């Protein structure tokens, strides 16, 4: 019983006690001293602080007698001094408040009396007094506040060894608290993610009736417009409608024998269609919005933003979701902040970047306004194809300098913004969120696009590969065969964003794993999508290696590569494959159970895997191996 609580706090016993409240409840209930005692635990003794006063008075009498006594008689007083000090220590052991009082009493005399009374006696007794003072305070601490007060007392009295002991106990309690907090957060987030997943899976079949009713109305009207067909395809994709339901709907749309209508009637039908679509999906929109709020409550902001985007597919003018995603309304348009500022100045986004509304007709004719002069696009591109005079474009988060064509550069800028939103959704715990809107960077991410590798070599002679970061965290990208190398771009872009976002660099396996996990993202209809793990060749290669029983770098081995030196000293190709696969496993396993813990490790390099996930390295490795074996089998 004597050491039970100490063992609990060092993690050796009692796995049932997992919170500070439980620790202190046990401390109070069992009266267990928190520390190692020289002899038996303290007994309940009826002692008051005033009991020290006669003992202090007796010490002063003995001290005076010791000083006056002849040298040959001084040893005769030693037993009395030992007995007196033992009595003082007994009071301190029984009464926490006696420790500071006793130590404060002896402090003025200690240095002098060490030599006058003899080190052999008083040194040992004062050391016992110090130890008893600390251990009594620990034993009677019933909460974190008590421990912090004890730490302050010890620090004020320069009892540094005791202060360090209390700090160790507080640190261990903080570990217990954080582990419990992570476990609760993991449980709550997993429950919400599962609820969302179940609902979206249900929509894959349940929404067929609502959409079928809408198609029946279109059949009765003998009407289907291209815009309506496109909108229907978007809704089918957003709701994840299963193929056995979506194919008959498309076949029915194709079979509609369209009736001839006047332009006014066509506009009326289109308006009716939009209204009916909103009505048929109203219940779905309300459920998605409610689930988004549930996600925000458990800090699943990335998933909440996905749900809000689904809402906008069904209800493009939904004000709540627009605002939750950070859009601002300018006139009748919903725009992101940078676009809203530009719109207020009379600019709109075109395939050539920002342009005034009045310039659109000339842009459509293949001209561009460059420094106040209208030129053919090809001529303007040629002028800006040199390092001395590049195109310069900007967005909410990026500053792009480019010697490639203006149209390709504008396309890249849109993709950069879309990728940042994808990364923020996937790694949401690294960013500050306002509802479903992540806080933007303090300064724009700098990207330089070169028309070819030869031109980039003039700036970076030793550059290898199509994309790389320099020492100033500027991303340098060169075209390959006239096209943007998207995968290489997205890998380095992840590294750039993490370097700018995180105060301290995480372990290499984490940053490399994140970069290669996001590397294969695809861009469609203005939005980046990650897709399944099967789209990532590194993950599939690792799964096949594990599935075949061949040697592969296991997760518990991977987490030991905590420095660049260790990372670079190993088999980089094998490590990259394992990092990509392990990162994906921790992101998606069991409906993302450990996703938030993985992101926490990215944000806090001091957090060990065992602390973050609440599992040993061996357990993680076993779970990962089973996941990859299942992936390889299918």
């Amino acid at each position: 019983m004597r050491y039970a609580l100490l063992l609990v706090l060092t993690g050796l016993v009692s796995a049932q006690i997992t919170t500070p409240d439980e620790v202190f409840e046990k401390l109070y209930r069992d009266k267990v001293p928190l520390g190692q005692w020289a002899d038996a635990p303290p007994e309940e003794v009826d002692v008051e602080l005033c009991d020290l006063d006669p003992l202090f008075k007796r010490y002063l009498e003995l001290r005076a007698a010791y000083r006056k006594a002849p040298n040959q008689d001084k040893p005769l007083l030693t037993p009395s001094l030992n007995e007196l000090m033992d009595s003082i220590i007994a009071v301190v052991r029984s009464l926490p408040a006696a420790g500071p009082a006793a130590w404060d009493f002896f402090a003025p005399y200690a240095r002098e009396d060490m030599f006058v009374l003899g080190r052999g006696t008083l040194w040992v007794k004062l050391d016992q007094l110090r130890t008893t003072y600390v251990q009594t305070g620990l034993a009677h601490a019933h909460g974190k506040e008590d421990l912090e007060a004890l730490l302050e007392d010890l620090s004020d009295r320069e009892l540094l060894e005791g202060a360090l002991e209390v700090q160790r106990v507080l640190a261990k309690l903080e570990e217990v608290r954080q582990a419990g907090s992570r476990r609760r957060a993991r449980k709550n987030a997993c429950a919400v993610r599962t609820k969302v997943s179940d609902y979206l899976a249900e929509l894959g079949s349940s929404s067929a009736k609502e959409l079928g009713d809408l198609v029946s109305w279109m059949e009765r009207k003998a009407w289907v417009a291209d815009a309506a067909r496109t909108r229907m395809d978007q809704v089918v994709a957003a709701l994840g409608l299963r193929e056995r339901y979506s194919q008959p709907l498309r076949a029915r749309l194709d079979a509609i024998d369209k009736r001839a209508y006047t332009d006014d009637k066509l506009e009326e039908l289109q308006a009716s269609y939009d209204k009916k679509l909103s009505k048929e999906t109203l219940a779905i929109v309300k459920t998605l919005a409610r689930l988004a709020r549930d996600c925000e409550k458990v800090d699943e902001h990335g998933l909440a933003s996905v749900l809000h985007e689904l809402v906008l597919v069904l209800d493009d003018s939904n004000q709540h979701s627009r605002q939750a995603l950070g859009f601002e309304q300018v006139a009748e348009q919903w725009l992101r902040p940078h676009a809203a500022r530009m719109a207020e100045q009379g600019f709109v986004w075109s395939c050539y970047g920002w342009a005034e509304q009045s310039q659109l007709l000339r842009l459509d004719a293949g001209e561009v306004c460059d420094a106040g002069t209208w030129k053919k696009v090809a001529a303007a591109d040629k002028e800006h194809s040199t390092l001395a005079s590049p195109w310069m474009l900007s967005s909410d988060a990026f500053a792009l300098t480019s010697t490639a064509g203006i149209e390709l550069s504008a396309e890249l800028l849109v993709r950069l913004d879309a990728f940042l939103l994808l990364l923020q959704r996937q790694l949401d715990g690294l960013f500050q969120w306002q509802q479903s809107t992540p806080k933007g960077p303090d300064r724009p991410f700098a990207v330089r696009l070169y028309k070819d590798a030869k031109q980039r070599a003039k700036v970076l002679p030793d550059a290898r590969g199509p994309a790389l970061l320099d020492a100033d965290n500027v991303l340098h990208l060169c075209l390959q065969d006239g096209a943007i190398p998207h995968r290489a771009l997205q890998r380095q872009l992840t590294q750039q964003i993490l370097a700018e976002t995180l105060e301290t660099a995480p372990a290499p396996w984490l940053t490399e794993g994140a970069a290669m996990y996001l590397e294969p993202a695809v861009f469609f209809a203005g939005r980046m999508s990650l897709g399944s793990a099967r789209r990532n060749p590194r993950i599939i290669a690792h799964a096949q290696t594990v599935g075949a029983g061949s040697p592969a770098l296991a997760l518990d081995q991977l987490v030991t590569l905590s420095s660049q030196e260790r990372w670079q000293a190993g088999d980089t190709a094998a490590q990259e494959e394992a990092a990509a696969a392990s990162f994906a496993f921790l992101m998606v396993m069991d409906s993302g159970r450990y996703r938030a813990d993985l992101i926490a490790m990215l944000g806090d390099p001091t957090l060990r895997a065992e602390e973050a996930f609440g599992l040993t390295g061996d357990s993680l490795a076993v779970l990962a191996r089973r996941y990859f074996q299942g992936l390889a089998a299918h």
Side-chain angles (χ1 to χ4, degrees):
M1 191 66 178
R2 183 181 306 171
Y3 304 114
L5 189 57
L6 183 64
L7 292 175
V8 167
L9 292 176
T10 53
L12 299 177
V13 297
S14 189
Q16 300 300 316
I17 299 179
T18 56
T19 69
D21 289 342
E22 291 174 303
V23 169
F24 289 120
E25 181 185 348
K26 180 172 178 59
L27 172 68
Y28 178 77
R29 186 180 65 246
D30 297 339
K31 298 183 176 62
V32 181
L34 189 59
Q36 296 179 335
W37 287 78
D39 26 52
E43 299 177 358
E44 293 295 324
V45 180
D46 187 15
V47 176
E48 295 183 4
L49 193 59
C50 61
D51 293 343
L52 283 175
D53 292 340
L55 297 176
F56 291 161
K57 183 177 180 181
R58 176 60 178 158
Y59 175 80
L60 294 177
E61 293 172 350
L62 278 174
R63 180 176 183 270
Y66 192 93
R67 284 169 172 265
K68 294 177 182 178
N71 288 337
Q72 66 270 19
D73 293 340
K74 289 182 185 295
L76 299 177
L77 295 172
T78 300
S80 297
L81 180 62
N82 280 333
E83 183 179 346
L84 175 63
M85 292 299 295
D86 287 341
S87 298
I88 293 173
I89 290 171
V91 175
V92 170
R93 179 172 295 176
S94 302
L95 190 67
W103 191 262
D104 291 344
F105 171 79
F106 281 106
Y109 305 109
R111 184 176 298 277
E112 179 184 357
D113 291 357
M114 284 293 183
F115 300 99
V116 175
L117 304 181
R119 293 175 63 89
T121 298
L122 197 58
W123 180 272
V124 172
K125 293 303 178 182
L126 284 176
D127 190 54
Q128 288 182 9
L129 175 62
R130 176 192 64 78
T131 301
T132 306
Y133 170 15
V134 174
Q135 299 296 346
T136 300
L138 287 172
H140 289 81
H142 290 165
K144 183 181 178 183
E145 292 183 359
D146 291 347
L147 289 171
E148 289 175 339
L150 177 61
L151 176 61
E152 183 177 356
D153 286 345
L154 294 172
S155 299
D156 290 344
R157 292 170 174 80
E158 297 184 355
L159 297 174
L160 300 183
E161 290 185 9
L164 288 173
E165 186 173 352
V166 177
Q167 284 179 333
R168 285 193 290 270
V169 175
L170 281 168
K172 188 60 65 176
L173 286 175
E174 181 62 15
E175 286 184 20
V176 172
R177 186 193 68 79
Q178 290 185 358
S181 176
R182 281 193 295 273
R183 185 168 53 254
R184 288 190 296 273
R186 185 186 304 128
K187 179 180 178 181
N188 294 338
C190 191
V192 171
R193 291 182 69 88
T194 299
K195 183 164 63 173
V196 171
S197 178
D198 290 346
Y199 179 71
L200 293 180
E202 179 187 338
L203 275 183
S205 55
S206 63
S207 57
K209 180 184 183 305
E210 288 85 351
L211 296 181
D213 291 344
L214 185 59
V215 172
S216 297
W217 175 83
M218 296 169 74
E219 288 172 334
R220 291 195 299 272
K221 297 294 182 180
W223 169 86
V224 57
D226 290 342
R229 178 67 182 263
T230 300
R231 182 87 189 280
M232 179 69 76
D233 288 341
Q234 291 173 343
V235 170
V236 166
L239 298 180
L241 197 63
R242 294 188 179 90
E243 195 70 19
R244 67 174 180 270
Y245 301 113
S246 62
Q247 277 190 347
L249 287 179
R250 292 192 177 98
R252 289 172 61 187
L253 288 175
D254 291 338
I256 292 177
D257 185 12
K258 292 186 287 187
R259 189 181 306 162
Y261 288 106
T262 63
D263 290 344
D264 290 343
K265 185 62 176 178
L266 289 174
E267 288 184 11
E268 180 186 331
L269 288 169
Q270 182 67 54
S272 298
Y273 169 81
D274 292 337
K275 185 177 180 179
K276 285 183 176 294
L277 179 60
S278 296
K279 181 180 178 181
E280 294 292 350
T281 58
L282 180 60
I284 298 174
V285 166
K286 289 182 177 179
T287 303
L288 291 174
R290 177 176 53 79
L291 290 174
R293 289 192 295 271
D294 291 344
C295 288
E296 289 164 357
K297 291 177 183 176
V298 295
D299 292 332
E300 286 287 340
H301 299 287
L303 184 55
S305 69
V306 171
L307 294 173
H308 282 303
E309 288 180 350
L310 290 180
V311 167
L312 294 181
V313 173
L314 303 176
D315 180 9
D316 185 60
S317 60
N318 188 284
Q319 182 174 352
H320 174 71
S321 288
R322 284 289 184 186
Q323 292 175 338
L325 291 172
F327 286 91
E328 299 177 15
Q329 191 168 19
V330 179
E332 296 183 359
Q333 289 182 299
W334 286 96
L335 303 170
R336 297 206 176 272
H338 183 75
R341 302 291 82 79
M342 297 299 289
E344 289 169 354
Q345 300 173 44
F347 289 90
V348 295
W349 182 256
S350 73
C351 62
Y352 302 127
W354 295 108
E356 295 180 20
Q357 183 76 37
S358 60
Q359 298 174 342
L360 294 182
L361 289 177
R362 297 194 70 169
L363 292 177
D364 291 341
E367 293 181 279
V368 62
C369 187
D370 182 22
T373 304
W374 283 96
K375 305 171 185 176
K376 288 293 186 182
V377 172
D381 280 342
K382 185 176 181 179
E383 290 181 18
H384 291 284
S385 64
T386 65
L387 294 173
S389 180
W391 289 110
M392 301 183 72
L393 293 85
S394 63
S395 68
D396 284 303
F398 290 92
L400 174 63
T401 303
S402 172
T403 59
I406 182 61
E407 188 169 1
L408 191 63
S409 301
E411 175 190 320
L412 173 60
L413 190 62
V414 173
R415 190 183 187 103
L416 292 173
D417 280 331
F419 184 83
L420 175 61
L421 290 174
L422 170 68
L423 184 145
Q424 290 171 329
R425 286 197 300 265
Q426 290 289 325
L427 307 180
D428 50 8
L430 301 180
F431 303 90
Q432 297 177 7
W433 292 75
Q434 179 64 36
Q435 286 189 300
S436 295
T437 305
K439 181 181 180 295
D442 294 331
R443 61 175 183 175
F445 300 112
V447 179
R448 295 181 181 173
L449 175 62
Y450 302 89
K451 63 181 181 180
D452 53 39
K454 183 178 179 180
Q455 188 182 61
R456 189 186 63 179
K458 295 178 181 178
V459 180
L460 300 172
D462 299 327
R464 298 290 182 272
L468 68 116
L469 289 174
D470 65 16
D472 295 322
N473 205 39
V474 176
L475 177 56
H476 297 264
L477 178 72
C478 62
L479 299 181
Q480 284 188 317
D481 299 324
I484 297 172
H486 294 138
R487 292 176 71 95
L489 162 67
Q490 287 160 190
R491 177 174 176 178
Q492 292 301 317
L493 191 55
T494 301
Q495 300 273 14
Q496 181 189 36
I497 295 170
L498 292 179
E500 289 284 335
T501 302
L502 304 177
E503 294 183 1
T504 307
W509 78 269
L510 285 168
T511 51
E512 293 291 342
M516 290 177 290
Y517 174 67
L518 296 170
E519 179 185 40
V522 295
F523 185 69
F524 176 73
R527 187 178 184 275
M528 296 295 295
S529 175
L530 190 58
S532 69
R534 295 188 176 279
R535 190 174 287 166
N536 193 316
R538 286 190 175 88
I539 297 174
I540 294 304
H542 186 78
Q544 290 173 343
T545 301
V546 173
S550 303
L553 191 64
L555 182 53
D556 56 337
Q557 298 170 312
L558 187 65
V559 298
T560 64
L561 304 176
S562 56
S563 66
Q564 284 292 343
E565 291 76 14
R566 288 187 177 184
W567 181 268
Q568 294 171 358
D571 182 346
T572 306
Q575 290 168 183
E576 288 178 349
E577 181 182 288
S582 298
F583 199 93
F585 157 70
L586 292 168
M587 286 289 284
V588 305
M589 187 200 75
D590 197 10
S591 297
R593 176 179 294 273
Y594 296 104
R595 192 186 70 90
D597 303 311
L598 177 64
I599 297 170
M601 285 189 69
L602 265 171
D604 181 4
T606 65
L607 189 61
R608 296 181 293 109
E610 291 82 356
E611 295 172 340
F613 303 113
L615 296 171
T616 64
D618 290 343
S619 299
L620 282 172
V622 169
L623 290 174
R625 186 163 58 250
R626 290 177 178 173
Y627 170 79
F628 294 128
Q629 287 171 343
L631 193 61
H634 296 87

